[in-house]
Amino acid sequence: DAGITQSPRHKVTETGTPVTLRCHQTENHRYMYWYRQDPGHGLRLIHYSYGVKDTDKGEVSDGYSVSRSKTEDFLLTLESATSSQTSVYFCAISAGTVGYEQYFGPGTRLTVT
Amino acid sequence: AQSVTQPDIHITVSEGASLELRCNYSYGATPYLFWYVQSPGQGLQLLLKYFSGDTLVQGIKGFEAEFKRSQSSFNLRKPSVHWSDAAEYFCAVADGGYNKLIFGAGTRLAVHP
């Protein structure tokens, strides 16, 4: 299995509080991604990174920000959590683009009350 | 816009029966296609991928998929299903230069003994 960990694995927070999810990899892969999984929608891309300090928005980026200060860590922040951000969040990594698959972490289940 | 459609939300098969999960994509250029499997409470595992060449691709766990450009389809098949195949299956297409994935909504497979 690819060396990807996510922390925390479960979190319950209140509306309006900031939340940071961490993705850590030991594969030294250049590309990292954050997805959210919701019933009926599959997985949708929130943000991605193509190098240290290089990030861009995905399909559902509103209300989220990211940072990547080291190759191995990709942080997802919800500045002010809302109930609509209750979801399961997955981090993925890839060694390249064309011809490369993504490897997924175990996920973080976030509940916003 | 690029999209992936999995027409079947739930499928139930008997153990030992054959399986076909449907996937249709909309993509302007040559698609790079993937099938992932997710067991309950787990992350996603890559079953197989198509980039070019042979239109019939073999994957892990006895799965195969056939790319049909004329039908914009990439259906997943298995000749004999095992109870351990019960899971959710996602089809995805890579979008753009940074290998961002667009997922279908998923098909949940139940296997009856």
Side-chain angles (χ1 to χ4, degrees):
Chain A
D1 290 342
I4 311 169
T5 56
Q6 293 185 230
S7 58
R9 294 292 315 279
H10 301 270
K11 186 170 182 65
V12 179
T13 191
E14 293 184 349
T15 299
T17 60
V19 177
T20 295
L21 308 182
R22 180 184 184 231
C23 177
H24 178 78
Q25 61 144 328
T26 58
E27 306 295 324
N28 200 36
H29 284 356
R30 177 179 176 183
Y31 300 89
M32 299 185 75
Y33 311 81
W34 276 108
Y35 295 87
R36 60 177 290 174
Q37 182 179 21
D38 304 288
H41 292 278
L43 283 78
R44 292 177 291 175
L45 183 65
I46 306 171
H47 281 279
Y48 63 100
S49 171
Y50 45 95
V52 174
K53 299 190 186 303
D54 292 322
T55 66
D56 205 349
K57 297 178 180 180
E59 177 190 0
V60 290
S61 60
D62 287 350
Y64 301 95
S65 62
V66 291
S67 66
R68 191 170 179 199
S69 58
K70 299 184 290 185
T71 298
E72 58 266 35
D73 289 326
F74 192 31
L75 304 180
L76 177 70
T77 297
L78 291 66
E79 301 291 347
S80 178
T82 68
S83 58
S84 65
Q85 293 176 312
T86 292
S87 186
V88 181
Y89 292 85
F90 286 98
C91 173
I93 64 173
S94 178
T97 54
V98 175
Y100 290 86
E101 61 262 37
Q102 293 184 20
Y103 298 94
F104 285 79
T108 293
R109 182 173 296 275
L110 176 67
T111 302
V112 183
T113 61
Chain B
Q2 294 86 343
S3 64
V4 174
T5 301
Q6 295 181 245
D8 305 304
I9 298 174
H10 295 280
I11 284 183
T12 300
V13 300
S14 298
E15 190 168 18
S18 63
L19 172 69
E20 182 169 30
L21 302 183
R22 296 183 290 165
C23 172
N24 294 99
Y25 66 90
S26 173
Y27 193 71
T30 301
Y32 299 105
L33 296 158
F34 305 82
W35 274 100
Y36 284 87
V37 61
Q38 183 182 35
S39 298
Q42 303 296 312
L44 278 71
Q45 181 183 22
L46 180 71
L47 284 175
L48 47 78
K49 60 186 179 184
Y50 171 79
F51 291 144
S52 64
D54 289 342
T55 57
L56 186 64
V57 294
Q58 303 296 321
I60 62 171
K61 305 185 180 186
F63 286 92
E64 66 178 27
E66 185 171 14
F67 170 63
K68 293 186 178 180
R69 184 185 299 275
S70 62
Q71 299 178 17
S72 297
S73 69
F74 188 54
N75 293 349
L76 182 71
R77 302 194 294 246
K78 187 170 185 178
S80 178
V81 171
H82 188 263
W83 63 267
S84 61
D85 293 324
E88 190 156 21
Y89 293 80
F90 293 95
C91 181
V93 64
D95 177 27
Y98 292 110
N99 204 24
K100 300 170 287 183
L101 293 182
I102 298 173
F103 284 86
T107 297
R108 185 168 298 279
L109 173 67
V111 180
H112 281 184

